[in-house]
Amino acid sequence: MRDDPLDLLPELFVLFGAVLGLLALTVSPKGGARWVAWLCALGLTGCLVTAVVAAFSPGGTVFGSYVLDPLTNVVRGVAALATLPCLVLARGVLARGGGLRPEAHVLMSLAALGTVTLAGAGDLLVLVAAYLLASVPGYALAGLSGDAPGTEAALKYYLVGAFLGVLTLTGVTLLYGLAGTSAYPGLGGALRAVPQAAVVCALVALFAGVMFKAGGVPGHFWVPDVTEGAPAAVAAFVTTVPKLGAFAALLRMAEEFLTSSAADWRLLLALVSVATMTLGNLAAFRQTNVRRLLAYSTISQAGYLLLPVVAVPAPLARPALLFYLGAYAVTNLGAFAVVVATGRDTLDGYPGLSGRSPALACALAVCLLGFAGTPPTAVFLGKVMAFTAVWQGGYAWLAVVAALNTVASLFYYLRWIVPVFRPAPSPGGDVPVRSAALTAYAAATASLVLGVAGGVVLPP
Amino acid sequence: MSALPWLLPALPGLAGVALLVTGRGADRVAPVAAVAVTAVALVLAVLAALTRPAATTPLFAGLRAGLAVDGLSSVLVVTVCAVAAAILVFAAGDTGEVRRARARFFGLMLLFTAAMLVTVTATDLALLLAGWEVMGAMSYALIGFVWRDGSAVRSAEVAFVTTRAGDVGLYVAAGCALAGTGSLELAGLADGARPWRDLVAAGVVAAALGKSAQLPLSFWLSRAMVGPSPVSALLHSATMVAAGAYLLLRLRPLLAATGWAMHLVAWAGALTALLLGVVALAQRDLKQLLAASTCAQLGFMVMAAGVGALAGGAAHLVAHAAVKSLLFLCAGVWLAALGTRDLGKLRGAARRDRVVGVSFGVGALALGGVPPLSLWVTKESILTVAARWSPWLYAVALAAALLSAAYAAKAVAAVWASGDVRGWRRPGPLERLPLPVLALAAATFGLVGLPPVFDAWRRLLGADGEPGPGAGGLLLAGVLALAVTAAGLKWRVPWSLPGARDWLGLERAASFLVVRPVMALARSLARFDDRVIDGAVNGVGRAGTALARLLREKAEAGVDGLVRDVGTGTGELAVLARRPQTGLVHTYLAQAAVWLLLLAVVIALTGWTC
């Protein structure tokens, strides 16, 4: 058995960054506020660097319950990379003096740590712990502003999370009772001989919490309310980073033990996927609040992200999911960065943006068209890979439904893009927040670079 | 491998293209440039004749194209360049027909010469065809040089279409050569497989007879006479018509291998020599007389290729090139000076300028085969071989030779007759300069018949064992030619035959037998195209619009409605999709529970039934 703490160096870096930031705030609430962001960023950067190093080291299972493999390493890197811009956005919100506290950086780091742990979990108990670690800082983040919408959002987030988390615990308990073990490798062997109906109940309960983290049906109810009520930087974080861990955990479970169970888990996830993408797209149609629009957009993206999981064990499933996760993170952060930069929450605020800030308008167009799956953006490539994988996996009808949904989604993305490039009804407006604008440019560029370079590098 | 074979045609070719591209701007320098280029080309040709270079280049997959100067080619390239140089010097001084658009004229002449050089040095059918075709196109442009004259352009068309009709044979030959031998090499054609070899020979013979204006395609040469005199001089001597004779001489092994082709060629040549000799005798127009005599003299060369008199045929080609270019240039001088080509109106023309007159006299007597001038010897070297081949062939050829003496005498008698010439315009020095030179060549090239010289000539052409002109034959032909010439000069018979005057009605026959049926067929096909094919296309279009109109009126409303319904339905669904998001947490939790329960039941049930 391997139990070298140094194998967990990336996780430890994030943890130490967060703890040091918290200590700094405790010691000196005023002075620490300046340093906390830097400390957390340092921890995340350390995580990124050590994850890259770890990617070239031999993998394996440590402490009997934590898996070190490309999946874990990619989520380590992507989570760190995705959290860093959230820190920048949070600083931008802080700088405006609007409803955030310096603790947001610490909480984001801790939630990121939870996401990484979700991805690495090789045991149901670790999964539950990681679920809590990823969720609890999120509740606090949502309510950190202390205003009425934030508080309401935090409460809803917490209640839905607690309810579905309890269900997940129930599912874990059931599985443990049925199989006699909670470790993935053992579960795989034990679930073959177990009555199918019992496994179905256990899996449905288990997925409840995972869907809560992923923002998919039926755990999606919090997404629009939190995205609208919480500060924009927090909204960007909770709709991006926890998803990474949730889908990685789902993929690992599918690969490790779901394939050996008698239950038709693929159909289960396929139905969830169809419900998620369709509901998300339809509900986004008539939105006038861009935050809610983006929230429903992230729900529909969660539906597409389920496709590669359904496709397991197709060889393309893993690369498709990992690439799509990265592409999704970049695009979602870019779109939220534009919202933070402009400070406008409704569609009425966007006509004439191309005149006031052409670069920001272009970045927004790149991100939204990327969501709709327009080449040569990263999400387009991710979608192609995901559709191909699910087609190979024998779920052609699911690929067709997903493609139809993609076409339909163009409607509401264009509802946002078109006014941006129309002349403003009244000239003038706020100057965009610099750091957020830069984040948006970087995200849009990364989306294009990933789309072009990925098309060259990745297998079709 | 050497660059010389490429350089030789490339120099006049590129210079010609440059002149053509520059256009009117180069009119002033064109004569000087063209003469200089031809002079350099002559030097190159002599150099090539001495060094015998060869060069090849890959053409298509597995095929090579090449240029090489061997014995026959070396004779031809020097002849072509020398004659072209003489004619271009004349043209540079010409103040008559080519006064205008000199850049175009000299450019075309240079390109024409270059094409002939490619033709006579090509070692494969592909390059030969290229040269052959460019030469044909240039002949069209030169015959129709005075394009404002509609009849000149029509004559150019007749000449071009007629030679092109023969050229089709060369394409057939190239295709069959590829099928039969797998290559386009001229040297390998005789070794082809049986049916292909005969087809190749048939194609080559058709093309060569067409180009050399042999029966039954002779009439185009009559039409070619509307071109300027330097053009006629070049076209009738060392290029164009000579290309056909050259090709047959070059491919003599192929003709011999098939057997029938050699007889066909020999008799076609002999009959052309005889019948076109009659035609020449019947002409009243000096240029027409010379044109018909060209056909007749080429008949001797073609016959030489048929009977295998390689050395004799080549010698006749060279001597005839000098003679005929000389005669046409003289005719050009008189045409410019007196504005006429009619023998009756040219009476006494030779007496006005002795240089022109004497040169013409020497050339014409040489044409008539009067000893000791060149054609007497070269013709006899062909007849000697023909006599061994068949006495009948010899008899026909001898009769043709006597006819040539008769028409030559007719021309000489006409221009040297004492007469009153009106409106004389003195020829310029450049126009007179080439005439004595060509006359000298016409007079003395017969030296090739001297046994030691003929021996070397034979070796040069690779025709060892071919008999030289026999003494008996020379004596007989010489005496007869002298007698006929003397009689012709003394009595000056204005011999005229209506059928022969218009070239045996060959053009009318071709028009009746080929042109009209083809045009009738084309017209009926055009009608078919207009009515049936075009009608079908139009019908499809009309049916399409009708169908489209029907669809617009009947079906589009339905499709449009469907689209609108989809949009409306989606919008209603969108409203419905927001319904669960009540904002109340307890309904969220209840819904989530119902969702999960439903999922569990559905999956459990599907698992049950499966």
Side-chain angles (χ1 to χ4, degrees), chain A residues 208 228 246:
Chain A
E228 189 187 4

Side-chain angles (χ1 to χ4, degrees), chain B residues 164-258:
Chain B
R164 279 310 305 260
D167 291 353
V168 173
L170 211 50
Y171 283 94
V172 173
C176 293
L178 211 53
T181 67
S183 98
L184 293 173
E185 295 285 320
L186 292 178
L189 291 183
D191 309 325
R194 195 58 219 272
W196 299 120
R197 189 180 63 193
D198 292 326
L199 287 170
V200 172
V204 165
V205 168
L209 293 187
K211 207 73 156 183
S212 285
Q214 298 298 289
L215 287 174
L217 298 174
S218 308
F219 57 88
W220 74 262
L221 209 50
S222 163
R223 299 297 294 257
M225 284 305 107
V226 301
S229 292
V231 173
S232 302
L234 191 60
L235 201 89
H236 284 243
S237 57
T239 63
M240 195 73 184
V241 291
Y246 159 80
L247 184 64
L248 291 175
L249 289 172
R250 160 75 65 199
L251 294 179
R252 157 74 195 168
L254 174 68
L255 305 181
T258 57

Side-chain angles (χ1 to χ4, degrees), chain A residues 86-101:
Chain A
C86 292
L87 299 183
V88 175
L89 293 183
R91 264 181 81 90
V93 175
L94 270 172
R96 274 202 176 178
L100 252 189
R101 289 154 58 98

Side-chain angles (χ1 to χ4, degrees), chain B residues 119 360 401 415 452 457:
Chain B
T119 305
F360 184 84
V415 296
W457 180 256

Side-chain angles (χ1 to χ4, degrees), chain B residues 3 61 105 117 126 199 209 222-223 225 231 241 278 284 301 310-311 314 379 389 409 421 429 473 480 482 537:
Chain B
F105 178 79
L117 288 174
L199 287 170
L209 293 187
S222 163
R223 299 297 294 257
M225 284 305 107
V231 173
V241 291
V278 175
R284 293 180 54 86
M301 298 173 215
L310 209 56
K379 204 184 294 165
W389 178 272
V421 176
L480 285 176
L482 273 174
V537 172

Side-chain angles (χ1 to χ4, degrees), chain B residues 176-505:
Chain B
C176 293
L178 211 53
T181 67
S183 98
L184 293 173
E185 295 285 320
L186 292 178
L189 291 183
D191 309 325
R194 195 58 219 272
W196 299 120
R197 189 180 63 193
D198 292 326
L199 287 170
V200 172
V204 165
V205 168
L209 293 187
K211 207 73 156 183
S212 285
Q214 298 298 289
L215 287 174
L217 298 174
S218 308
F219 57 88
W220 74 262
L221 209 50
S222 163
R223 299 297 294 257
M225 284 305 107
V226 301
S229 292
V231 173
S232 302
L234 191 60
L235 201 89
H236 284 243
S237 57
T239 63
M240 195 73 184
V241 291
Y246 159 80
L247 184 64
L248 291 175
L249 289 172
R250 160 75 65 199
L251 294 179
R252 157 74 195 168
L254 174 68
L255 305 181
T258 57
W260 59 267
M262 131 179 109
H263 290 280
L264 174 70
V265 165
W267 279 102
L271 287 176
T272 305
L274 184 67
L275 293 177
L276 271 295
V278 175
V279 171
L281 195 54
Q283 298 304 317
R284 293 180 54 86
D285 179 313
L286 177 57
K287 281 184 81 173
Q288 289 293 337
L289 185 151
L290 293 175
S293 83
T294 302
C295 290
Q297 295 298 324
L298 275 151
F300 287 113
M301 298 173 215
V302 169
M303 186 177 81
V307 300
L310 209 56
H316 197 62
L317 198 159
V318 175
H320 174 254
V323 166
K324 201 47 72 68
S325 52
L326 166 64
L327 294 180
F328 270 112
L329 292 184
C330 292
V333 169
W334 291 329
L335 180 59
L338 302 168
T340 183
R341 316 189 302 198
D342 189 286
L343 282 174
K345 293 178 183 161
L346 283 173
R347 294 171 70 86
R351 293 169 186 260
R352 292 303 303 263
D353 188 315
R354 292 300 164 101
V355 174
V356 181
V358 170
S359 299
F360 184 84
V362 171
L365 292 178
L367 183 66
V370 173
L373 303 175
S374 57
L375 289 191
W376 168 58
V377 179
T378 56
K379 204 184 294 165
E380 190 50 40
S381 63
I382 299 172
L383 290 189
T384 307
V385 182
R388 295 187 175 184
W389 178 272
S390 144
W392 293 106
L393 194 67
Y394 177 72
V396 170
L398 190 62
L402 296 184
L403 276 173
S404 63
Y407 57 67
K410 177 176 177 178
V412 173
V415 296
W416 276 97
S418 54
D420 195 16
V421 176
R422 275 188 216 138
W424 177 256
R425 188 191 62 84
R426 207 179 142 69
L430 279 176
E431 286 174 281
R432 296 165 74 186
L433 177 64
L435 304 181
V437 180
L438 289 170
L440 188 67
T444 58
F445 192 76
L447 290 174
V448 77
L450 292 176
V453 184
F454 197 78
D455 207 38
W457 180 256
R458 265 194 315 228
R459 271 204 309 282
L460 174 68
L461 293 168
D464 298 319
E466 183 182 318
L474 275 177
L475 199 62
L476 177 64
V479 167
L480 285 176
L482 273 174
V484 171
T485 308
L489 289 177
K490 179 146 177 65
W491 287 299
R492 220 175 283 163
V493 191
W495 201 77
S496 176
L497 196 69
R501 171 78 66 77
D502 68 343
W503 292 63
L504 309 173

